[in-house]
Amino acid sequence: MTTRYSTRALQAIFIFVIGGIGGTAAFADDDKMGRMAASHPAYRSECGSCHTPFPPGLLSAGSWRAVMGGLDKHFGSDASLDAATANDITKFLVANAGSRDTTGDNGKPLLRITETRWFQREHRDGHDGITPGVFRSAAVKSPANCGACHRSAADGDFSERNIHIPAQASR
């Protein structure tokens, strides 16, 4: 007896299989990108002096160019760099940027990793122990405070084995 699948069924199976493989690869790539970010001296010292040096694969090249092009008004701070250092960091970020679409609904590149679809999916309430309000808790304060839960974020390790979500105070 021959089993026939509809074109839609075959497409769904293909997407599921490829998505599973791609999803696994994405986790490995994110971990590699985190270690890479921590190992780039200028990026680690300049950007890492104020926040975790985020893995470059978490934003697209267009988003990184936009971030680096606006350092004089970087999320409310003047994070300007000399031209040579800015160029070095920009080249590094763009060369190692992710392939995920980090364009906002308005067609402009997103500047905040926390606004990307990937981040929001991975950090939604109920996912991997994330509780409602955890980002507003005193221990975390912001979704951009990676080190509050990813204990080795400063070293570029965002692996799930090193996650510890702080207990929340009463709501």
Side-chain angles (χ1 to χ4, degrees), residues 45-122:
S45 68
E46 295 296 341
C47 303
S49 67
C50 293
H51 58 73
T52 299
F54 303 114
L58 296 181
L59 288 177
S60 67
S63 287
W64 283 123
R65 283 188 197 98
V67 168
M68 294 301 292
L71 291 178
D72 59 327
K73 48 191 175 309
H74 187 68
F75 305 109
S77 297
D78 184 350
S80 297
L81 299 170
D82 65 82
T85 303
N87 188 43
D88 177 44
I89 292 172
T90 301
K91 280 183 177 177
F92 165 73
L93 293 170
V94 168
N96 295 289
S99 58
R100 292 182 184 110
D101 179 19
T102 59
T103 304
D105 293 337
N106 61 3
K108 294 181 180 179
L110 294 173
L111 305 181
R112 295 178 185 272
I113 292 167
T114 58
E115 293 176 350
T116 65
R117 287 180 283 278
W118 171 85
F119 183 93
Q120 291 176 356
R121 184 180 64 247
E122 286 295 311

Side-chain angles (χ1 to χ4, degrees), residues 9-58:
L10 289 173
Q11 287 172 339
I13 291 168
F14 177 77
I15 289 168
F16 177 76
V17 170
I18 296 302
I21 293 168
T24 302
F27 288 123
D29 287 347
D30 290 343
D31 198 39
K32 177 182 168 194
M33 286 293 133
R35 289 190 305 275
M36 180 187 296
S39 69
H40 189 276
Y43 182 56
R44 184 177 177 122
S45 68
E46 295 296 341
C47 303
S49 67
C50 293
H51 58 73
T52 299
F54 303 114
L58 296 181

